[in-house]
Amino acid sequence: MDRQQGAGLVPDVTLDRTSPVPLYYQVATRLQQQIEEGDIPVGSRLENEVELADRLGVSRPTMRRAISYLVERGMLIRKRGVGTQVVHPKVRRPVELSSLYDDLLKSGQSPRTEIRELDVRPAPDQIAEALGIPFGADVVWIERLRYAGDEPLALMHNAVPAGLLTLRREDLERNGLYDLLRAAGHVPRMANQIVGARVATSAEARTLEESRGAPLLTMTRTAWDAAGKAVEYGNHLYRASRYSFELNLTS
């Protein structure tokens, strides 16, 4: 049968039944890896849960829980009359001091940037305060639309203190902002970052190819170099349907 129709679509997975890691999680992470690496193509329909459970040698509740885990993470969707289908995997970004451009490259995606604004303007009071510069001092204001492949992923606004470095449109199209800061000797070392959520306005929804009122993740960040000088302020919007932040917690 054609792979797109689903039979035998999921490659066999190796499970460690002596591991303390639950079987459902082992199955889910193996499937997630196969989706991210393209072994299971986007748009494909999986075998039903009963067939998958029997073939992979796990119970039906285990298989159902693994599928539900991937549905919750936005990698699979269930459609009535169609079954379980693979969708574009979300970009999962660790909460650390890196740029979205770097993270997309590391995850094997193809970042592309559309520069919507690049000019010098007086900093609004809130941004001036965050950067530790006088109210009304000039900043380089950047508005970019970042794509992963052909899909818009994030609408990003950044302010960099004027005179810190020269920013050209062509450089911002080919590089992440943090790469350009590092190349100019202004290495971001510390940051304050706030992650939140809200719904998209009509204009934001059009730009990000979402429906009006769709959920968006928000991120506001100020970064400083090793000397404690602010080098960047960012206010970004991400499509919640295609993007998530990832936290690793220890005690």
Side-chain angles (χ1 to χ4, degrees):
M1 181 181 291
D2 190 329
R3 283 173 62 86
Q4 293 292 334
Q5 293 181 0
L9 174 68
V10 176
D12 290 336
V13 299
T14 302
L15 304 176
D16 183 357
R17 299 177 188 277
T18 65
S19 170
V21 177
L23 280 178
Y24 90 87
Y25 188 75
Q26 291 188 49
V27 172
T29 53
R30 303 298 193 279
L31 294 181
Q32 177 177 314
Q33 182 180 9
Q34 291 167 354
I35 292 170
E36 290 176 340
E37 293 178 354
D39 295 331
I40 306 176
V42 170
S44 302
R45 180 169 59 83
L46 301 189
E47 301 148 271
N48 65 51
E49 292 176 6
V50 174
E51 293 172 346
L52 272 174
D54 290 344
R55 189 161 63 78
L56 300 182
V58 297
S59 68
R60 294 174 187 178
T62 294
M63 194 69 237
R64 186 176 305 114
R65 191 172 180 188
I67 295 295
S68 295
Y69 176 87
L70 294 177
V71 169
E72 291 169 1
R73 291 177 75 84
M75 306 192 78
L76 300 175
I77 56 173
R78 290 188 174 104
K79 291 185 177 180
R80 185 178 299 276
V82 175
T84 303
Q85 195 168 24
V86 179
V87 294
H88 288 281
K90 283 188 178 183
V91 175
R92 292 178 295 127
R93 182 179 184 182
V95 178
E96 59 185 28
L97 197 50
S98 62
S99 73
L100 176 57
Y101 192 94
D102 296 337
D103 295 330
L104 288 169
L105 284 177
K106 289 177 183 177
S107 64
Q109 309 230 21
S110 300
R112 178 169 66 86
T113 306
E114 175 187 320
I115 310 301
R116 295 165 60 90
E117 289 185 42
L118 176 60
D119 59 28
V120 176
R121 63 178 64 173
D125 290 354
Q126 178 185 359
I127 294 177
E129 184 176 2
L131 291 171
I133 59 177
F135 289 166
D138 283 344
V139 292
V140 180
W141 180 256
I142 313 161
E143 180 179 314
R144 294 168 293 168
L145 183 59
R146 177 63 46 75
Y147 289 79
D150 295 326
E151 283 194 282
L153 180 65
L155 181 61
M156 306 185 298
H157 297 93
N158 292 85
V160 176
L164 192 69
L165 77 165
T166 300
L167 290 170
R168 301 183 303 171
R169 184 177 294 267
E170 55 268 30
D171 293 332
L172 286 164
E173 287 173 345
R174 293 193 298 261
N175 302 276
L177 177 58
Y178 275 26
D179 279 342
L180 297 174
L181 285 168
R182 294 185 193 105
H186 305 290
V187 182
R189 294 293 188 190
M190 302 167 285
N192 174 262
Q193 180 167 286
I194 300 172
V195 177
R198 64 174 175 81
V199 298
T201 65
S202 296
E204 291 163 350
R206 284 194 300 271
T207 299
L208 292 169
E209 298 181 8
E210 287 281 4
S211 57
R212 181 181 179 182
L216 299 177
L217 293 172
T218 66
M219 188 273 285
T220 303
R221 178 160 73 184
T222 306
W224 296 268
D225 63 15
K229 181 178 181 179
V231 295
E232 174 256 349
Y233 171 88
N235 190 340
H236 300 173
L237 296 172
Y238 303 90
R239 296 172 63 188
S241 61
R242 292 281 287 112
Y243 189 87
S244 65
F245 290 98
E246 186 172 278
L247 292 164
N248 292 313
L249 306 176
T250 59
S251 60

